[in-house]
Structures are given as C-alpha cells and as structure tokens.
Amino acid sequence: RIKVWHLPTGKLWATTVQLETVPTQLAFSSDSKLLASGAGGDAEGLTVVWQLPDQRPSGSSSDKSSGVVSADPVAKDGARATTSAKSPAARMPPANAQLAAALRKAGKLVREQRADTDEFRRTLQGVAGDLPILPSSANLAPDGWLNLTLNSSGTGFDAYRFTSTLDGPADLCIAFVEPREETNWYVLPVTGQMEAANDFDREDALDLPGVDKGRSVIFQLLAQGTIAPRAEYILWFATKATEAVELKLLWKVVPRGTIQDKPTSDSVAKELGLKTPLRFLVSSSAEPLKRLSALRHGAPVRSLAFSPDGTTLATGGGDNQVRLWERTRGTLRQTVPGAMVVFAPDGLSIATAATIDGPTSVAIWDATSGQQCHRLEGAHLRLVEQLAFSPDGSRLASGCRGGIVTVWDTATGRQAWQPELAVSPRTNRHRRLSGHQAGVLAAAFSPKDDLLVTGGSDSFVLQWSMASGGMAGQIEWHRPSTRCGLQRRRQVDRLGRERQYDSSLHLCSRARRAHHESPRP
C-alpha cells in the first residue's frame, strides 16, 4: 500500500488499497497534485500515476480517525469478525518448577538474541509435554479472535503446542494484534529443527471490529512446506510486559502452496477467514488515491521524476535506461542511458546516472531532443545513487556508494567542489578528510541555495556550505544507518526480530540541529 501523510497535522491524508506489486519508488509532482509509484521488484517495471485528493486534512493530529477505504473484514460466512467474552481464552497453566525455570531461561535467551541456538531449542523441547494446547481458531466466527494471556506466570515468556491435522506438507498462516509492549515470536518443532520463509507485514491503520484503533496487526506466512504432516509444534511469544497482557490471535495450517505469490496482509487474512481487501482507517478529510494511468518501463524501476510542469514522467530502470513518457497519453518520448534521473528546475534538461556494475558516469541531457549536453566524469569510483539540482539549476550534486559528494557546474560540466581528499601514506590510496564515511543515500539543496544537505549510511546528515564548499554542520540521529526515507517493510530474520535498520522519518531543525518530529514508520 501507499500511504500519504499530511505533515502540518500529522494525519494520514490518503492511501491505496492493497497493490499487486510493491512500490519501491515514489515521486510527487511539483504542485503536489500527482504521485507516481514504481515497482522495483517487478520485472516489467509497473509504474502508476495517482491523483492526490484536493482537500487537505484539517485539525490536530490527535483527532480521532474516521472514514474507510475498501471493504470490511468479515468472516467467510458473512458474519463480522468481532471479539466478545465468549471467544476462547488460553493462558499458561500454573507452572511447575521445571516448566517455570525453562520459560525463564527461554525468555533470557531471547533477550540475549540467542533464540536461534540449540540451547534455546532444547530448553523448550524438553518441557513440550507440559505446555498448553493452542485452541483452534478455525471456527470462532462471529467471535473472530482467539484470546491469549501472555506473561500470566510473570516469566515474560509463553509457549503453546499445536498439531498439524493435514496429511501432507503445509504452511502456517498467523495474524495477531501486537501488544503495546515489545514482543518477539516464532514457531519451533517439538522434535528436530525447522527453516522457513517468514516475511511478515505490520499494518498500523486497520479498522478491525473488536480491535482498538491504533493497534498494529501482524500478518505472517511460514511457507515452503514448513509444517510437516501430522507433526507437533510450539508457538512462543516473548514480551517485555511487566504484567499480564492480552494477545488476540488467528492461526491456520493450510496445504503447501495455498498462497502462490509473495504473501501479503490480504492473502494471509483471506486464508484466516477475513474478507479482503482489508479495511483501513483514514482521516476524516482524506480520500483514496485515484489511479489515473499506468505504464511499464520494461525492467525494475530504480527512480522516478516528474517534469516541473507535470506533463512528462521519467522512469529509470534496472536495464540502465531512462525513459521519458508523455504523462497523460503514456507515450514514450525519449530514451537515454542511465537508471537514476532528476529534472532540472526549468524542465529543459535532465541528469542521469548509471546504477549498474561497471564504470560510473553522470550525464546531463536535453529533455526534448535527448541529446547529451555534458558527461560528468572523474569524481566517482562507485555507483552514483543520488542526484539533486540546485533551485536555480546552476549546480548538480551527485553522491555515490563510496561516500563521495560532488557538486558540478551545469553550464560547463566541470566540478565545482567535492570534500577534500588526501593520499594515505599507509595504503597509498585516497581517503576522505571530511564527509560521509559510507554510501550517500539522499541529497537536497536548501530553498535559498546556500546549503546542500546529504544523508548517508554512516548515520550522519551533513550540511555543506555552497559559499565555502566546506562542511557547515552535521547531525547524527538515525541509528545505525540513515535510510533517508520510509522502508517498504521492516526486514526481519527468521526469528521474527527486526534487523537493525531505522525505518522512521525524522524532521530536524537546521539552526539548532535538533530532532523536531518523528512520525511513525
């Protein structure tokens, strides 16, 4: 899905329904009336142009959300999926001394990030016979959710047994309302070991009856025939809660390959008995994004850019080709080499960079004729992944994976400046005396054209003076890496834990170099 937020109020402004392909590239038109999305994981490079709502959200961000997009999740028989006191509840029984000790030890191993060790597996498998049976959630309608009570024993760790009733290899679908306290989870066989493909989606704005607004819902599929025929497994949860907390759960074992394509929230929800597409909360003044047109680049999309007047859309792809399209008719105007593309402020030229293996080059092209104006070489030894024109179009900034930031004179095609380099006496190679020590992932000029701001995977946001060419300031905020945008999905390891990537968007005050606001990921 694509979600558009209104920064002055912090409200969700507009959203799409579940998309067939994951959009990895986004670009707004200069008048903020259009949004383009491109699929980086799609071999055909599906690119869609959306129309944004005319009306902006009003009021404070604390206003209650209302309004919906798409259909309501209901049980397959048409009954609404709600929660009531009649829903089955499962809690850990009073633990015997051996079971309590095993649960405490397992929780400690999770906190130490050692849940992938043989010690953790043996600890749980040794007390599997004492664990409670996980009730089936297959026939809960109209109640909808199975209610589990976590941390009732005070160990911060809970585990339940379940058995596959299928005679062949199977996959496991899970959905649960994430507790407010940090929670880890996974599945373990009672005997032996298990590997699984286990991507999950976290949905933060679902309108689910019986689920408090603002609560996140996790949808997960353990695929590739993970669940063996008639085998017994352990589903465990580790929470940092200091008291007992409720967890709402749906789970189902399905035949292997039931979900053929890459799992999504909707595909997992459908197998669990919820009607799809899922229903999302939006602000009272928001509307769904309207799909205007679609085109196919012919390769995974690596970059998108609107011309200033909004009549042309540029797509850069994994085929190292930049294509310029007439937006309203979807006809191809020009094709030039490159994968990264940006428009000059006057719309008369574009800058491109190759983002494939091989010699790195930056070039400036006439946007109408497709003729090359300048080839900018000699500054980057690694792939260029960021380009930005200054507001008056007189300068072009480029940043590469090696951490080098270079500013070019667009009239002459010559370097204006780059961070100072020196030759290391030990390695006889160039090293940076200032600037990013890792890849440059974002670049933007200030509206007054006096500063260039860059963000890198070294966790720093750097400010460069256009007058002196030197560093004007730095902010170390994102840890451990500045992604400079919103991630498509939290990346997780096979135990369901988040990898150490920052997925938030931070707004900072340049004058104070202080954190200003951190919207939810």
Side-chain angles (χ1 to χ4, degrees), residues 223-253:
Q224 299 178 355
T226 296
I227 306 300
R230 302 287 176 176
E232 193 173 21
Y233 292 85
I234 301 170
L235 173 63
W236 60 263
F237 295 92
T239 177
K240 290 187 176 180
T242 57
E243 56 187 21
V245 296
E246 183 185 71
L247 181 139
K248 299 178 184 295
L249 173 73
L250 293 173
W251 69 280
K252 184 180 180 181
V253 176

Side-chain angles (χ1 to χ4, degrees), residues 316-340:
D319 56 355
N320 200 36
Q321 296 292 316
V322 168
R323 294 181 170 86
L324 303 183
W325 307 84
E326 200 286 326
R327 183 188 62 78
T328 57
R329 294 195 299 268
T331 56
L332 183 63
R333 287 181 172 176
Q334 297 289 344
T335 300
V336 299
M340 176 65 61

